[in-house]
């Protein structure tokens, strides 16, 4: 089954002369359980694709289907029981005056869970933090620990599809691999499907089964991981990206 189908997606900001066409005619699909990468240089429209899927980019046309169902411009609350997003910057994505317990507890409550205590404890275990972090505040956490909390918050509604927007690029190099390993483990344990944005081909090559190469708002090519390993691309721009990577 297809977890995600994106057909002829266009996303724009502003209007008239100020209009920016951030994504143009993007088409791709992601199978259930697959890990799919979006790569391309800064400004190529990668984040905008994720934001359109999750309802954070209001102006779009085309078709977005999740688990076979076309989604409209308004996302019902139940949508977020299926689709969750992890943002690039764990410093900006956590409220400074909310403890870890509040962040996770409130998310669980919002999604109608009752056994909040047990679930908070389990989520902290799932992301490798453990209970001693439960009553801490963001300023008492490192970047990697914050990103683990953001990942726990995304897992709280028990989603099927995680949209990951450069989840390690704001972190120290030394903790990037830890978070990538955690994400790889969580995908198996929770049977998740990933769409992961990265400007780093080695990250995508390590984490993803297939990837779309973006340039100036368009998907120029979709490659399998074998093609990536053998630097086997058709489009000159993807070849250029592959050759530039180590
Ligand atoms: N909120 C916004 N308002 C206006 N333009 C935006 C907005 N968000 C993104 N853009 C523009 O859309 C294009 C794609 O941006 P983005 O999706 O963030 O690229 P990427 O994630 O690949 O770096 C860029 O030209 C960017 O300036
Ligand atoms: Mg981006």
């Amino acid at each position: 089954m297809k977890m995600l189908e994106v057909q002829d997606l266009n996303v724009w900001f502003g209007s008239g002369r100020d209009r920016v066409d951030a994504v143009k005619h993007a088409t791709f699909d992601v199978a259930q359980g697959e890990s799919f990468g979006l790569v391309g240089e800064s400004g190529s429209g990668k984040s905008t694709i994720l934001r359109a899927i999750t309802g954070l980019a209001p102006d779009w046309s085309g078709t977005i289907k999740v688990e076979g169902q076309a989604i409209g411009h308004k996302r019902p609350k139940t949508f977020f029981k299926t689709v969750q997003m992890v943002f690039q910057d764990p410093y900006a994505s956590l409220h400074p005056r909310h403890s870890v317990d509040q962040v996770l507890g409130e998310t669980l409550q919002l999604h109608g869970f009752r056994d909040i205590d047990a679930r908070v404890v389990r989520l902290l275990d799932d992301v490798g933090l453990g209970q001693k972090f439960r009553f801490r505040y963001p300023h008492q956490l490192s970047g990697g620990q914050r990103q683990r909390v953001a990942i726990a918050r995304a897992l709280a509604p028990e989603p099927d599809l995680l949209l990951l927007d450069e989840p390690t690029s704001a972190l120290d190099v030394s903790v990037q691999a830890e978070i990538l390993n955690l994400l790889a483990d969580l995908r198996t344990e929770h049977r998740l499907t990933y769409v992961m944005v990265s400007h780093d081909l080695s990250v995508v090559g390590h984490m993803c089964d297939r990837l779309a190469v973006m340039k100036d708002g368009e998907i120029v090519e979709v490659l399998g991981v074998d093609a990536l390993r053998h630097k086997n691309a058709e489009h000159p721009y993807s070849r250029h990206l592959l050759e530039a990577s180590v």
Side-chain angles (χ1 to χ4, degrees):
M1 194 191 61
K2 297 279 181 242
M3 175 59 67
L4 175 68
E5 292 157 86
V6 173
Q7 283 148 10
D8 197 23
L9 176 67
N10 298 285
V11 189
W12 61 95
F13 298 101
S15 61
R17 273 205 210 158
D18 296 328
R19 176 167 158 146
V20 176
D21 288 288
V23 176
K24 293 171 273 188
H25 308 294
T27 296
F28 63 98
D29 49 45
V30 182
Q32 189 170 39
E34 193 179 20
S35 178
F36 188 87
L38 289 174
V39 299
E41 58 198 48
S42 178
S44 58
K46 307 179 298 296
S47 297
T48 301
I49 286 189
L50 298 191
R51 297 173 75 86
I53 295 168
T54 196
L56 293 170
D59 292 323
W60 59 274
S61 66
T63 308
I64 302 173
K65 286 184 188 168
V66 172
E67 292 178 326
Q69 283 220 316
I71 55 177
H73 276 66
K74 274 201 93 175
R75 306 286 180 287
K77 203 166 88 181
T78 51
F79 174 80
F80 298 100
K81 282 185 96 60
T82 308
V83 183
Q84 282 284 315
M85 181 150 164
V86 175
F87 296 89
Q88 179 171 4
D89 184 356
Y91 292 90
S93 68
L94 296 179
H95 190 295
R97 284 193 297 279
H98 290 183
S99 70
V100 172
D101 185 64
Q102 274 172 291
V103 169
L104 300 180
E106 279 167 16
T107 305
L108 288 163
Q109 243 156 11
L110 182 73
H111 287 280
F113 292 106
R114 300 259 164 124
D115 46 346
I116 307 281
D117 263 11
R119 281 182 181 267
V120 168
V121 170
R122 201 186 318 147
L123 285 168
L124 287 173
D125 279 340
D126 282 347
V127 298
L129 284 174
Q131 282 203 63
K132 64 176 190 290
F133 286 90
R134 183 165 174 186
F135 298 102
R136 295 208 189 161
Y137 287 84
H139 73 269
Q140 298 169 310
L141 303 174
S142 69
Q145 288 162 349
R146 286 176 195 224
Q147 198 58 312
R148 286 175 194 265
V149 174
I151 293 167
R153 176 177 57 190
L155 292 177
E158 302 188 325
D160 302 302
L161 173 60
L162 271 197
L163 308 175
L164 302 153
D165 192 358
E166 311 221 26
T168 61
S169 62
L171 304 176
D172 287 345
V173 177
S174 59
V175 293
Q176 290 187 0
E178 274 178 32
I179 299 294
L180 291 174
N181 288 337
L182 171 70
L183 287 169
D185 291 345
L186 289 170
R187 184 159 76 96
T188 314
E189 284 157 21
H190 295 256
R191 298 164 192 264
L192 295 163
T193 304
Y194 284 175
V195 179
M196 178 182 278
V197 165
S198 180
H199 62 269
D200 186 341
L201 266 178
S202 66
V203 166
V204 168
H206 182 69
M207 296 287 294
C208 298
D209 310 312
R210 286 187 308 140
L211 62 123
V213 177
M214 290 194 72
K215 181 173 168 36
D216 302 332
E218 293 181 77
I219 292 180
V220 300
E221 190 165 7
V222 176
L223 297 169
V225 76
D226 279 347
L228 178 67
R229 294 215 174 105
H230 297 111
K231 304 204 179 219
N232 219 344
E234 297 276 322
H235 192 281
Y237 180 71
S238 345
R239 277 215 297 274
H240 160 78
L241 264 193
L242 294 184
E243 273 149 26
S245 76
V246 280

